[in-house]
Amino acid sequence: MSHETGAARPDREPCQPPQKGNKRDEERGIERGVALRAGFYIFGTHLFAGFVWLLFYLGEHAHK
């Protein structure tokens, strides 16, 4: 709709909702989600392991 007249503009097509039947796009979205989640888990695991390693290192070199 145009802001000036409030009428529909003929040069633009109306927005259509995404079609539910397209399996290829759904599978790509699922694959992207799995890859993103795996990346976060791998990064988080390495970050946690590095933190634990740092604690052991600092504990070993602490003045007792």
Side-chain angles (χ1 to χ4, degrees):
M1 293 188 136
S2 175
H3 291 284
E4 296 87 21
T5 62
R9 293 175 55 181
D11 60 338
R12 298 183 85 192
E13 293 184 21
C15 292
Q16 304 241 346
Q19 296 179 1
K20 295 284 184 179
N22 197 346
K23 292 287 187 187
R24 178 174 278 173
D25 288 339
E26 289 179 18
E27 289 178 9
R28 283 185 185 160
I30 291 171
E31 289 175 3
R32 185 180 302 133
V34 169
L36 188 62
R37 194 174 309 124
F40 280 131
Y41 289 158
I42 291 168
F43 176 75
T45 302
H46 281 83
L47 188 66
F48 179 71
F51 177 70
V52 171
W53 178 84
L54 180 65
L55 290 178
F56 277 102
Y57 179 80
L58 293 175
E60 182 182 340
H61 289 86
H63 297 288
K64 297 180 186 177

